[in-house]
Amino acid sequence: MSTAYAEKSGFGATLWDYLTTVDHKKIAILYLIGGGFFFLLGGLEALIIRAQLLFPDNELIQAGTYNQIFTMHGTTMIFLAAMPLIFALMNAIVPLQIGARDVAFPFLNSLGFWLFLFGGVLLNCSWFLGGAPDAGWTAYAPLSTTAEGHGVDFYALGLQISGAGTLIAGINFLVTIVNMRAPGMTYMRMPLFTWTSFVTSVLILFAFPALTVGLFLMMFDRLFGANFFDPAMGGNHIIWEHLFWIFGHPEVYILVLPIFGLFSDIISTFSKKRLFGYSAMVFAVVLIGFLGFMVWAHHMFTTGLGPIANSIFAIATMAIAVPTGIKIFNWLFTMWGGSIHMTTAMLWAVAFIPSFTLGGFGGVMLAAAAADYQYHDTYFVVAHFHYVIVGGVVFGVFAGLHYWWPKMFGKVLNEKLGKWAFWPFFFGFHLTFFIQHFLGLMGMPRRYWKFQPDQGLELGNIVSSSGAVLMTIGAVIFLINVVYTSIKGEDAGADPWDGRTLEWAIPSPPPFYNFKQTPLIRGLDPLFIEKQQGNGKMTPAEPLGDIHMPNNSIVPFIMSFGLFVAGFGLIYQVDDATWLWAVGIGLAITLFSMLFRSVKDDLGYHIHKEDLEEEADAE
Amino acid sequence: MKGWMGKSRILFSLTLLMLVLSGCGKTNLTALDPKGEGAESIYDLMMLSVIIMTGVGIVVLVIYTFVLIRYRRREGHEDYVPKQTEGNKFLEILWTVIPILLLVVLAIPTVQKTFMLADTTPSAEDEKDAIKIEVSGQLYWWHYTYNGQEIQASQDLYIPTGERVYLNLKSQDVIHSFWVPSLAGKMDTNPGENENEMFIQAYEEGVYYGKCTEFCGPSHSIMDFKIVAVSPEEFDQWVSDMQNVNADATPESASAQEGKELFKQQACIGCHAIGSYPNSNVGPNLTNFGDRVEIAGVLDNDKESLVDWLQDPEKYKPGNLMTGKYGDTESAKPLTDEEASKIADYLLQLKPSEVSPESAEADE
């Protein structure tokens, strides 16, 4: 790197750099650290849950504490672990896969991250301030609106702030993928990970407003004495269920679609074949995204919507199995006739196929409305959604991290340790959750703080808990791998996996401007095409010229901090009106930051052509 | 990686072994051993879906296993580039159409059963005799009103065998869900105007275990109840016994008599009715308390447990509405040992009918 834009070194400078960065690759690392931290926290909560359910009538923890722990486990894993980890991968890779120098709105990208982080921190502050939310991650009214203490207030405000960040990030990726593709990168040449990130962003755009509205109504019920959900005052608590699931069902597809894309890329790369039925895969993704919105009421079969509504939603839900099945078979036939290289990333991808298929079977079974009267709210459901979320999303994140770690950090994660982490996690996962299908049918409802002795539920619970220990071992070995690789890992080079897509055409980690010259795309799997034709690198689509870059900014951090302060104020103004000052101060910080951002010209800067040439000479 | 399939086979057989060891859950709790019309009908649907899924699963697993064994990269072939296939129209159409057909096979009985289970209007000839019960979910117990029969009961729901019993479900506070896995599927009880209906039916006599399945607070996991299915004759007997309860009857033993006085003094009567009227459901109706299968749904029905419960209900059911409502609420134990013991004697002798859970179990 030339001295013209060398960075300052030292801890303070690095910290400041990350607080102010608008570089999507650094924001990816921030998301990875944030999401990773909350993943460990959610995992710890899961372990406590499984410890409490080790024996019947266990008195390890109190009922109230248990309710807080499983509520926070669900909330944390969905909103604060899975989503940010997916955003980490999307931020790190999507702009590279489409040949872009940056995302469409770098400033907003940073704002999205800080809102997520401050929302998550606010939510978790509840642990130290009189108790976490305890109404389940679905927070059904009137249990949530009448819950004592401030736990549910933290839920409403924390998720509101965090959700705003997600919405911003979603819009950003939507615009980025629509507007910033390199010349020749038509829609039907986009790698599947980009495609699925695109559809996920559309889902975020439409789903999160429903959550925003729901949380707003809940906030007004709890903090300002409104009665939207109180039947005694003419409200209707079922409205919450609808609003929550109109968001909540697409949410699971928001989580899993990018993972489908990432597995498509991985399976294609390590089978050395182009994706089988590419256009069918794209069609399937779009269809899943669309249907994802049409089926929310399948979470409410026992609410009493009546047989007509139940039947319609049952059939719409079953329909999702078709595009999902198409994907499974296309993956199998991508490997068919290929040359399968079993790296750790591929191992996770290969393990995902049967695991997710089982999860899908559970989904079809649950979709049969009449049968759901037995499954609903039991461990059968717990088993099903862990099969899709762990067997899909978590496996996917592990696969994605092993696959793209070299691109993100310039070092290959240790393969041997990677496989050692895989096996206990894989077996632990099936041990924990497979048996839960049966526990549910044998009469164990979900969210049970304890189960009764002599009801035939003992053995299943012990098996399930021991699986959780194995999963923990796997996760810890992965962490060891990360540390080991950071210290002793081998340098990756630009293309360690013999990749097919654009991100492998530039150095690892990529320079902060990504592509010196925007590449010309000549087909699906552009890098593979160039390799086959003996070029080995991308043909530039433009002459070398000045590159425009955005300036770093601390404003997103301050803006999010303002909302964090205002959130506290809103929660505590119920007890003491002087807290309204905090609301005022917090909002003032945020609004002033917005004003500052609006009036101050921030035109960014240019990397000059000469500097780029100089750099090329130095290499 | 070589032993991949071997390892998964071990996992599979271990799982099977575990299922055999655990039996299939307690009788009269599990949905896998249906004992009533609703549960059986759902069980058939479940099995149909399992069969279809197993079929699909075998196809996937066979292709999967074959691919992973056959197409692993071999040594010396690192640089081999396989043929880049675009796709195959025929195959893709095949694995679109077949699942659609399979889903149609599943969808038809699903819709049929969904409507069948929602049919909660008795036929014209049964209308007059049909048993209709108002079920109310409470923090953390269940209350029943037998329509047209002037009977109030809590926790244990008596029904005759072989007959559909129609339930009208609602809640007094938050959402609960009424579930007796071996008899029927579950249905939520909503607060406010959104009342739900369902029917239950038991083929044979017995005590069936029910649970609350919608998260409702700290004691959600112990909001258990029982369905006591007895023969139609015994049921008629029970109904008439319950209708003719003399709530003021003087208990036989002296201790129970004192207990009855204490029951009044401590204002227990303010929440708990004995006898089906006055019509109160603030707390569980105690008319046939002595016959309960379990106290509070989860404790053994004996004097020791009852004394413990009366002295500290919070310990057994956190967040319940009885805590702190009587006696000297400042002290840890609102009732002295003696007081609790007398009240327990009084409550345990409340057995207005010969028909009890034992009659259901003895006839099995």
Side-chain angles (χ1 to χ4, degrees), chain B residues 5-16:
Chain B
M5 278 315 291
K7 283 172 191 165
S8 58
R9 217 174 289 139
I10 292 170
L11 179 71
F12 182 68
S13 21
L14 270 179
T15 316
L16 278 186

Side-chain angles (χ1 to χ4, degrees), chain A residues 350 374-376 441 500, chain B residues 31 46 64 73 84 179 186:
Chain A
V350 161
Q374 289 287 25
Y375 311 133
H376 182 71
L441 291 170
R500 308 166 68 86
Chain B
M46 236 184 255
Y64 180 78
R73 175 192 290 185
Q84 303 292 306
W179 187 38
K186 64 184 71 65

